[in-house]
Amino acid sequence: MLNFIDSHCHLDFSNNISHLIAQAQQVGVSRFVVPSVNYNNCSTVLALSQQYSAVACAFGIHPHFIQSDNKLSSLTKLATAQRNNIVAIGEIGLDGAIATDLTIQIELLVKQLKLAKELDLPVICHAHKAYDPLLKQLRIIKLKRGGVIHGFSGSLVQANEFIKLGFKLGIGGVITYPRANKIRTTVSQLSLENIMLETDSPDMPLFQQQGKPNAPVNIPIIAQTISELMEIDLAQVASQTNCNTTTLFSLD
Ligand SMILES: [Zn+2]
């Protein structure tokens, strides 16, 4: 059986985590990276990583979860104390389609990028309708460890700009939709060295699964679609994306 990693899933949003893990392991999905979405959520994802050896966690404040008090100084303290128990700063980023002003989002993003740099960690970035403002900040900060643009759905030109900055592209269920021409074309032109597999579960349902919560068990379907689009053997997709993910996050 092939071995896969789900590089981005919110397992803690489910109330049946052990089932999701066992179900995924049955189809070869053996590791899970679970980012937090805000400070309050950090202790939950940390506890998950302590309970399950297959789970690695990251700390960050997601743009959708920006509040009047983001408790960023508490998050900084916790991330510093738990530096060796987290694999990244995330989920952080920018979203051009939400009500929160982009200036406020950028301010929080920059502080968290600086934290990643200080702690020598990669970042997990959410980027929706905001590739250019995100690129601008990443070019200023110049992270040594780079990171991943999760749920990537842009063009090859945009992909290459992130790759130049040491970033991988997280590819998820969107590519299973036959009408998702843009990202399917991009994926067919990317090099396997630059991508990672992800579900973003319970979000981002796959084609023909609309209305059902997404789960890490779907990773092999995403890998199979990549294998077809790139015309590369499925086993090679599995082994190279595993290598990309373990290297970026320094998973043992
Ligand atoms: Zn996410």
Side-chain angles (χ1 to χ4, degrees):
M1 186 166 59
L2 296 175
N3 185 29
F4 303 95
I5 301 175
D6 188 343
S7 69
H8 190 118
C9 52
H10 299 279
L11 284 177
D12 56 305
F13 288 12
S14 162
N15 48 24
N16 203 348
I17 297 166
S18 51
H19 166 72
L20 290 182
I21 291 178
Q23 181 196 41
Q25 284 174 334
Q26 276 173 12
V27 297
V29 185
S30 58
R31 302 205 72 169
F32 313 85
V33 179
V34 183
S36 82
V37 295
N38 61 17
Y39 171 67
N40 295 334
N41 185 227
C42 288
S43 52
T44 312
V45 299
L46 180 64
L48 259 189
S49 72
Q50 287 162 342
Q51 191 183 348
Y52 300 97
S53 59
V55 172
C57 72
F59 291 173
I61 302 160
H62 187 298
H64 290 189
F65 293 80
I66 289 178
Q67 293 165 317
S68 51
D69 178 8
N70 289 304
K71 302 188 185 133
L72 185 66
S73 59
S74 302
L75 187 140
T76 300
K77 269 185 218 150
L78 188 63
T80 307
Q82 297 291 339
R83 163 63 181 80
N84 296 329
N85 298 317
I86 60 177
V87 298
I89 295 298
E91 178 170 356
I92 64 176
L94 298 177
D95 196 318
I98 59 171
T100 313
D101 196 275
L102 209 55
T103 325
I104 294 169
Q105 295 188 43
I106 290 172
E107 193 185 324
L108 184 64
L109 170 74
V110 168
K111 286 177 181 162
Q112 296 187 92
L113 290 174
K114 285 180 178 163
L115 176 61
K117 196 169 190 179
E118 261 171 48
L119 296 180
D120 194 28
L121 285 168
V123 292
I124 298 170
C125 285
H126 168 101
H128 184 222
K129 295 196 190 317
Y131 288 141
D132 289 339
L134 178 62
L135 278 165
K136 185 178 169 189
Q137 298 308 324
L138 294 175
R139 287 191 189 108
I140 298 169
I141 296 263
K142 293 189 180 71
L143 293 170
K144 267 179 291 174
R145 298 266 313 265
V148 56
I149 305 301
H150 115 79
F152 184 74
S153 64
S155 66
L156 184 64
V157 173
Q158 288 167 323
N160 284 334
E161 292 303 313
F162 287 112
I163 291 166
K164 264 188 243 166
L165 292 165
F167 274 69
K168 304 287 179 203
L169 307 162
I171 306 296
V174 176
I175 61 160
T176 61
Y177 289 77
R179 63 180 154 81
N181 287 322
K182 183 178 162 195
I183 183 60
R184 285 167 65 94
T185 303
T186 304
V187 168
S188 72
Q189 295 165 333
L190 284 171
S191 148
L192 200 52
E193 280 67 36
N194 294 318
I195 69 169
M196 306 197 331
L197 308 176
E198 63 163 67
T199 58
D200 199 19
S201 56
D203 296 331
M204 311 288 282
L206 274 65
F207 180 57
Q208 291 175 331
Q209 294 189 12
Q210 293 96 317
K212 278 204 322 189
N214 192 4
V217 72
N218 286 322
I219 282 285
I221 302 174
I222 295 167
Q224 177 62 40
T225 310
I226 291 172
S227 150
E228 287 160 16
L229 291 171
M230 287 188 165
E231 298 176 0
I232 292 176
D233 192 54
L234 181 62
Q236 212 183 324
V237 173
S239 68
Q240 185 62 50
T241 55
N242 281 359
C243 172
N244 300 342
T245 308
T246 50
T247 305
L248 180 71
F249 295 130
S250 298
L251 303 178
D252 36 61

